[in-house]
Amino acid sequence: MNMIEPAHFITEKLRGTLRSNVPMCQHTSWRAGGYAERVYQPTDLADLIVFLRTLPADEPVVAVGLGSNLLVRDGGLRGTVLLLHAALTEMRIEADGSIYVQAGVSGAKLARFAAKHNLKGAEFFAGIPGTLGGMLAMNAGCYGSETWNVVANAQTIMRSGKLLEREPDDYEIGYRHVALRKKGIYLEHDDARIPNSLPFHQEEFFVGARLRLPAGDGEVARREIKALLSKRIASQPLNLPNAGSVFRNPPNDYAARLIEQCGLKNLQIGGARVSEQHANFIVNVGGATAADIENLISEVQASVQHKTGICLHPEVRIIGEYARNHE
Ligand SMILES: Cc1cc2nc3c(=O)[nH]c(=O)nc-3n(C[C@H](O)[C@H](O)[C@H](O)COP(=O)(O)OP(=O)(O)OC[C@H]3O[C@@H](n4cnc5c(N)ncnc54)[C@H](O)[C@@H]3O)c2cc1C
């Protein structure tokens, strides 16, 4: 790949912010990890289109929302990170009663907006500390609800800057799994050797979605949001940096239950520790490197596999390169 200096990207039409050597610990909820070579924060969708059109075809690009499900290895990311949470923030009710939501809107804002318009079924988004883009990519969910259950269609942008409208049928959608059926284009890629490790490049990104929600009562929705948030505060270690559940639940069981049963609560590597409060959370108790976190993930995985025969698959996405001194 040719090295591209930031100056080469800048045209008169760009209105966003391009920065070099950005510590991704500032953009991930684990507050750990390496540097991104470049980060572009567009001003809006039109600006994102222009930016993508100006990019050389071989520049690796990855979209990041609020980084609440993401570990960037200590060696960092080559290419450009698109930071979408402060950029794609439009939300409106359409003529047919559906909601158009852009990918940078947070779950909390989306849930409140739906309640304000007396729609129900979006309450669960309130407790997920990510953006709609990240929730579409992950099929995020909780308490029996999942993102794609309420998606009528999704708006995406190709690496070339071309906008597309996609139907749910275009995707293979499962538990914390979303992949385009069309071969050759991926939103998710599982490397068999490193479960949930992504290539450092995406060909297509979510920029918005139309959600269909049934009519409800705003007051009831607000009460439900409050109850769901209280439940989280009581059960999750929200006082320390974390990325939510680290592992997907295996069929008919809970990752947290298995990890606890194997006596792994409080297991610590460097600054990364298995939470005492919720065994499927790894918390950064101070100064954790991405390697500490990834090593702890592997350790927990190996120990649970050894003691129970069950293989836990990470839910968190791990991207980027190992630090040079990585063993
Ligand atoms: C305290 C806590 C509680 C949590 N609880 C839950 C929960 O109850 N349920 C749940 O499912 N998750 C939960 N999570 C995990 C996380 O919030 C979700 O996975 C969320 O959907 C991630 O959104 P994000 O914007 O932060 O995505 P990021 O972490 O920024 O990105 C995650 C992945 O999505 C990709 N991505 C992001 N934006 C786009 C886009 N626009 N287009 C294409 N790909 C994109 C990224 O490249 C990356 O692969 C929790 C996390 C925390 C810290």
Side-chain angles (χ1 to χ4, degrees):
M1 193 195 83
N2 296 329
M3 272 297 296
I4 308 127
E5 291 309 318
H8 289 88
F9 288 116
I10 297 165
T11 74
E12 272 171 48
K13 291 179 195 151
L14 287 179
R15 290 171 288 121
T17 314
L18 182 68
R19 288 176 291 151
S20 300
N21 290 325
V22 177
M24 286 304 290
C25 61
Q26 292 175 355
H27 298 290
T28 53
S29 60
W30 251 321
R31 296 281 175 260
Y35 284 63
E37 208 174 2
R38 280 171 286 279
V39 166
Y40 188 68
Q41 182 151 3
T43 305
D44 51 27
L45 182 53
D47 185 52
L48 175 62
I49 293 170
V50 175
F51 178 73
L52 287 173
R53 284 185 185 153
T54 65
L55 273 186
D58 62 351
E59 172 77 351
V61 180
V62 71
V64 170
L66 280 160
S68 61
N69 204 46
L70 194 62
L71 184 64
V72 176
R73 291 194 179 106
D74 302 308
L77 282 170
R78 281 181 297 112
T80 301
V81 167
L82 299 176
L83 256 198
L84 300 183
H85 74 274
L88 305 179
T89 54
E90 264 182 58
M91 240 188 314
R92 61 172 183 267
I93 303 282
E94 301 279 52
D96 66 357
S98 62
I99 317 184
Y100 171 73
V101 190
Q102 285 195 329
V105 171
S106 70
K109 283 198 175 140
L110 168 54
R112 282 203 302 272
F113 183 82
K116 186 175 155 200
H117 291 276
N118 292 311
L119 295 168
K120 69 175 175 189
E123 298 84 356
F124 75 98
F125 286 120
I128 303 177
T131 60
L132 180 69
M135 295 191 282
L136 288 167
M138 297 301 305
N139 193 20
C142 53
Y143 307 124
S145 303
E146 283 182 339
T147 303
W148 280 86
N149 293 346
V150 297
V151 174
N153 57 41
Q155 191 184 23
T156 66
I157 193 164
M158 303 283 294
R159 177 63 186 66
S160 60
K162 187 177 162 200
L163 285 173
L164 297 176
E165 195 160 288
R166 290 209 176 265
E167 303 302 317
D169 274 356
D170 291 340
Y171 299 95
E172 188 185 281
I173 297 166
Y175 166 56
R176 304 296 173 267
H177 169 86
V178 180
L180 261 176
R181 292 185 195 279
K182 191 175 161 204
K183 282 208 166 70
I185 297 181
Y186 50 79
L187 287 166
E188 181 183 350
H189 166 88
D190 283 321
D191 181 324
R193 288 167 302 119
I194 314 162
N196 238 31
S197 173
L198 288 173
F200 321 138
H201 180 59
Q202 288 169 298
E203 282 297 333
E204 193 174 328
F205 315 93
F206 292 108
V207 289
R210 263 190 334 108
L211 310 183
R212 205 172 291 289
L213 298 163
D217 176 333
E219 205 38 58
V220 173
R222 272 186 286 276
R223 272 205 302 276
E224 183 157 344
I225 289 172
K226 222 171 149 187
L228 291 179
L229 291 178
S230 306
K231 213 162 153 182
R232 278 176 184 271
I233 291 166
S235 62
Q236 299 182 350
L238 303 179
N239 57 332
L240 289 168
N242 67 80
S245 292
V246 171
F247 296 101
R248 298 170 192 186
N249 287 322
N252 308 316
D253 211 337
Y254 291 97
R257 192 194 72 77
L258 291 164
I259 297 166
E260 186 168 355
Q261 179 196 311
C262 293
L264 300 171
K265 271 187 170 185
N266 290 319
L267 181 68
Q268 185 163 344
I269 295 181
R273 183 192 293 164
V274 176
S275 165
E276 165 74 38
Q277 196 178 350
H278 191 311
N280 198 16
F281 278 49
I282 287 180
V283 290
N284 180 351
V285 293
T289 61
D292 291 341
I293 295 169
E294 195 170 359
N295 288 339
L296 189 55
I297 291 173
S298 301
E299 185 76 29
V300 169
Q301 217 172 9
S303 186
V304 170
Q305 170 94 56
H306 178 70
K307 289 179 180 155
T308 69
I310 295 170
C311 178
L312 293 179
H313 295 285
E315 176 177 321
V316 292
R317 299 290 181 84
I318 302 170
I319 58 175
E321 309 199 6
Y322 292 111
R324 272 177 215 271
N325 60 359
H326 185 85
E327 289 155 23

